[in-house]
Amino acid sequence: MKKINLILLLGILSISTIGFGQDTVAISKKDIWLKATDKNLQIKISNQDFKSAQADYRQSNSLFLPSISASHTAISTTNPLMAFGSKLNQEILTASDFDPNLLNNPARTKNFATKFEILQPLLNVDGIYGRQAAKAKMHAYALQTERTKEYLELEVNKAFMELQLGYKAVKVLEKANRTGDANLKLIQNYFKQGILQKTDLLSVQVRVNEIENQLQYAKSNVQNASDYLAFLLNEDNTNKVYKPIEELENVIALESINNALSNDRKDIQAMDKSSEAYAKMLQSSKMNFLPRLNAFGSYELYDDTLFGTTAKGYLVGAQLSWSLFDGYKSIGKIEKAKAEFKKSEIETQQYKAKSQLELNKTNRQLKDAENKVNLSKLALEQSQEAYRIRSNRFTQGLEKTTDLLQSETLMFQKELEFLQAVFEYNFTQNYLHFLTK
């Protein structure tokens, strides 16, 4: 039993010390956005996706630029053909080398060849469309990266407002806690004087405990909001908690926002660019049936010693190639590219319709949030006035303890509801701006 009591005591002490061993870091809305754009992991991932697409586009430069390679080959052979060819390349053939016995049974021959090769594409129509597809894909990722930054801004603002709301809730509940303690002392005095019964005192004590529990829960919410903000900023939040410099606004700014979906939105532009890329890939697949024209050349050095350069020669030429039939492979590629292009068009259409649906829904939510703010503000004012009247009547012995507690509970509840309503309106307004960018 003593061990259980000790554990409970340590648990209570650990809970009571939450926040005292932590560093409070003051932050402003502007500062966190600057940090987020520089350190957020999702933005870094989006940047790498763009760089990957950019690298694919740069690979298509091979469509216009030459390919140059160098090699050095060393052989030792008694193969009649290879031995004769090696001597011919080394320019050391003599009349005696045409002796049939030597031709058929040559001695071991060494050959060292240094070769420089160049391949120059001249006309590859399918590659041109492939390059255009890679460029459209790169632009799509660039637009998607910009949209990711816009979404991060929305998420950072939401996390910051949640942190503001958390601190505001703590402040309200601390005020409620002080009020509850004051009422408890008053009730205790009345109980000692025999004015009130034991049940009245117990009711107030229960109420005070409930407020303390709510306060502890609100502090946990502050820590949770702080941790999430640290995650967005990619910072270590161990033993520290953020505190906004700006307090949560308790007013709303009404404004009219366009209900029409804008085609200038970065994500919609990215979807259109993605469809364009699939269209170019389809064209590239179709152009696969056209011939290709490429030039080639080489410069060769031969000797019977390592890296020797006694004999020299070059080769230049051009090749026109045309794949007439590849076992239905090209036709299958066209069918696949066509299906992917149609799919991208349908996905873009679906995305736009879904975005318009979300925009319409958010507009209605904003109007509902405005009504909720107005109603909760009126309810708060009424509850404050009701509590003031009941508190005065209670000190005069004209009100019951339970009525006072209910009035007090209702007042702080309405204050929290009003703050929550303001938060919901401001975030919905921000979200609507995000949907109409």
Side-chain angles (χ1 to χ4, degrees):
M1 189 66 182
K2 290 182 178 179
K3 290 183 178 179
I4 294 175
N5 291 335
L6 178 61
I7 293 173
L8 290 175
L9 178 61
L10 291 175
I12 293 171
L13 289 175
S14 64
I15 293 175
S16 63
T17 55
I18 290 177
F20 290 97
Q22 294 177 318
D23 295 328
T24 300
V25 180
I27 54 172
S28 67
K29 193 173 183 179
K30 181 180 179 181
D31 291 339
I32 61 172
W33 173 236
L34 292 176
K35 287 184 179 181
T37 53
D38 183 52
K39 301 171 65 176
N40 180 260
L41 296 177
Q42 189 59 49
I43 287 183
K44 290 182 178 181
I45 292 173
S46 296
N47 286 333
Q48 295 308 313
D49 286 338
F50 168 73
K51 289 180 179 179
S52 176
Q54 187 181 50
D56 287 339
Y57 176 65
R58 286 178 176 174
Q59 288 182 43
S60 65
N61 288 337
S62 61
L63 189 66
F64 308 106
L65 300 178
S67 174
I68 303 173
S69 62
S71 64
H72 185 76
T73 306
I75 64 170
S76 177
T77 182
T78 57
N79 180 281
L81 182 62
M82 294 296 295
F84 184 82
S86 295
K87 287 184 177 181
L88 185 62
N89 283 332
Q90 293 172 17
E91 302 175 0
I92 58 175
L93 279 178
T94 62
S96 61
D97 289 316
F98 288 92
D99 184 350
N101 291 327
L102 291 177
L103 287 174
N104 293 324
N105 298 288
R108 183 172 64 89
T109 302
K110 295 187 293 182
N111 184 50
F112 298 91
T114 302
K115 189 175 184 180
F116 300 94
E117 291 182 289
I118 181 170
L119 298 174
Q120 176 62 57
L122 297 179
L123 181 61
N124 295 278
V125 182
D126 60 331
I128 294 175
Y129 281 102
R131 176 180 172 84
Q132 293 175 355
K135 186 176 183 180
K137 178 184 175 183
M138 181 184 68
H139 287 164
Y141 273 106
L143 291 166
Q144 196 59 49
T145 300
E146 291 300 316
R147 188 59 175 174
T148 300
K149 291 180 180 179
E150 292 176 353
Y151 177 75
L152 176 65
E153 183 179 8
L154 174 71
E155 197 67 13
V156 167
N157 287 341
K158 179 184 177 183
F160 188 77
M161 288 192 299
E162 285 178 342
L163 192 60
Q164 289 177 314
L165 180 63
Y167 274 101
K168 199 72 174 180
V170 168
K171 189 174 181 180
V172 170
L173 290 169
E174 285 177 342
K175 181 171 64 174
N177 195 33
R178 290 192 297 270
T179 303
D181 288 338
N183 287 337
L184 178 60
K185 291 180 181 179
L186 182 62
I187 297 301
Q188 286 173 340
N189 290 333
Y190 286 165
F191 175 71
K192 291 177 182 179
Q193 297 173 16
I195 300 175
L196 297 176
Q197 298 179 357
K198 181 71 172 180
T199 54
D200 294 324
L201 177 60
L202 292 175
S203 297
V204 176
Q205 289 174 337
V206 169
R207 173 58 186 159
V208 170
N209 289 335
E210 288 177 350
I211 294 175
E212 290 177 352
N213 289 334
Q214 292 176 5
L215 179 58
Q216 184 58 47
Y217 181 74
K219 290 180 179 179
S220 296
N221 285 340
V222 167
Q223 186 64 63
N224 293 337
S226 179
D227 289 345
Y228 182 61
L229 194 56
F231 166 74
L232 293 177
L233 302 180
N234 192 25
E235 291 187 347
D236 183 13
N237 203 39
T238 305
N239 294 325
K240 72 178 181 181
V241 61
Y242 292 121
K243 185 174 183 179
I245 294 176
E246 304 93 344
E247 288 193 358
L248 180 69
E249 297 178 358
N250 57 0
V251 294
I252 60 174
L254 302 178
E255 60 177 295
S256 58
I257 300 178
N258 186 12
N259 296 338
L261 184 66
S262 174
N263 287 325
D264 293 332
R265 252 176 49 174
K266 300 295 189 301
D267 53 339
I268 293 178
Q269 289 183 14
M271 293 290 290
D272 290 336
K273 280 293 180 182
S274 180
S275 293
E276 180 184 338
Y278 281 111
K280 296 298 182 182
M281 288 303 298
L282 175 58
Q283 291 296 324
S284 176
S285 299
K286 291 179 178 180
M287 295 301 110
N288 225 11
F289 288 102
L290 297 180
R292 298 179 179 87
L293 179 62
N294 299 295
F296 59 88
S298 65
Y299 184 73
E300 303 167 2
L301 303 168
Y302 296 96
D303 209 318
D304 58 356
T305 60
L306 187 66
F307 298 113
T309 60
T310 300
K312 304 176 181 65
Y314 70 86
L315 174 69
V316 293
Q319 182 186 48
L320 180 67
S321 60
W322 196 348
S323 177
L324 299 178
F325 182 71
D326 55 5
Y328 214 76
K329 183 179 178 181
S330 295
I331 296 176
K333 281 186 175 180
I334 291 176
E335 292 176 347
K336 181 180 179 181
K338 184 176 181 180
E340 290 179 340
F341 170 58
K342 291 296 182 182
K343 178 185 174 183
S344 70
E345 283 190 321
I346 295 172
E347 286 178 341
T348 301
Q349 181 182 356
Q350 181 191 44
Y351 188 80
K352 289 180 179 179
K354 188 176 180 180
S355 297
Q356 184 65 61
L357 181 67
E358 183 70 13
L359 181 59
N360 296 339
K361 175 184 173 183
T362 307
N363 267 296
R364 289 190 291 269
Q365 287 178 338
L366 185 65
K367 187 62 179 178
D368 294 339
E370 180 186 345
N371 294 333
K372 186 176 180 180
V373 168
N374 294 332
L375 291 174
S376 60
K377 182 178 180 181
L378 180 61
L380 173 60
E381 293 172 351
Q382 291 174 342
S383 64
Q384 288 174 336
E385 181 63 18
Y387 177 74
R388 185 188 67 80
I389 294 172
R390 289 187 183 277
S391 180
N392 292 336
R393 288 173 58 83
F394 178 78
T395 55
Q396 299 171 9
L398 301 176
E399 288 286 346
K400 295 180 181 179
T401 307
T402 54
D403 294 336
L404 178 66
L405 291 176
Q406 290 176 355
S407 180
E408 176 204 7
T409 302
L410 183 63
M411 180 184 66
F412 290 118
Q413 178 185 342
K414 293 304 177 183
E415 185 170 2
L416 292 176
E417 288 178 359
F418 172 68
L419 294 174
Q420 180 68 31
V422 172
F423 165 80
E424 290 176 2
Y425 179 87
N426 289 332
F427 172 71
T428 305
Q429 192 177 62
N430 288 342
Y431 185 50
L432 199 55
H433 279 293
F434 171 74
L435 294 177
T436 53
K437 276 189 175 180

